[in-house]
Amino acid sequence: AKWCAKGGWMVRGTLDPGSAQGFMLVSSSKGLAFQRRVATNGVSTSTSGAAASAPYWVRIDRIGDLISAYSSPDGATWTLGGSDTIPMAAGVYVGFAGSSHTSSAAAQRTLDNTRTT
């Protein structure tokens, strides 16, 4: 079975599984993507980015309800991967998220050069 490990920055309204969220990621087999769920328990959508692989810089910005996702090969020049309006309360959860996309294998990621503001 083919699987796809992914990791990146996520902002989400709650820790509930169906929470509204935005996720800018880099995948081992599918490159860059901006995934999001704009409403609690809603459908997740994805916008594909470049066919890049880790190591790669990813960034997610939140200004009010606007979530914008970016990627960069060097941490200096950023490309917008997508943006969407995702209503959330003033207080949100932000952190590094990842998935192996299979229950039969774990995925390991290394996170460095991080900054939150």
Side-chain angles (χ1 to χ4, degrees):
K2 187 171 183 170
W3 59 281
C4 160
K6 64 185 179 183
W9 285 104
M10 179 181 282
V11 57
R12 57 188 303 121
T14 71
L15 296 179
D16 295 329
S19 175
Q21 53 88 4
F23 184 29
M24 183 61 199
L25 65 97
V26 60
S27 163
S28 63
S29 65
K30 295 185 178 183
L32 300 164
F34 172 44
Q35 296 179 343
R36 67 261 188 214
R37 183 181 308 116
V38 300
T40 301
N41 296 319
V43 175
S44 291
T45 58
S46 182
T47 302
S48 296
S53 61
Y56 217 84
W57 292 77
V58 292
R59 177 178 118 200
I60 195 149
D61 293 352
R62 176 183 184 223
I63 300 173
D65 289 340
L66 181 65
I67 306 295
S68 300
Y70 298 86
S71 62
S72 171
D74 57 12
T77 303
W78 293 93
T79 300
L80 178 65
S83 61
D84 214 329
T85 301
I86 307 175
M88 292 185 218
V92 295
Y93 294 89
V94 178
F96 191 73
S99 172
S100 68
H101 270 265
T102 179
S103 59
S104 62
Q108 181 176 336
R109 286 151 210 84
T110 302
L111 177 66
D112 60 15
N113 293 307
T114 63
R115 182 182 73 183
T116 59
T117 56

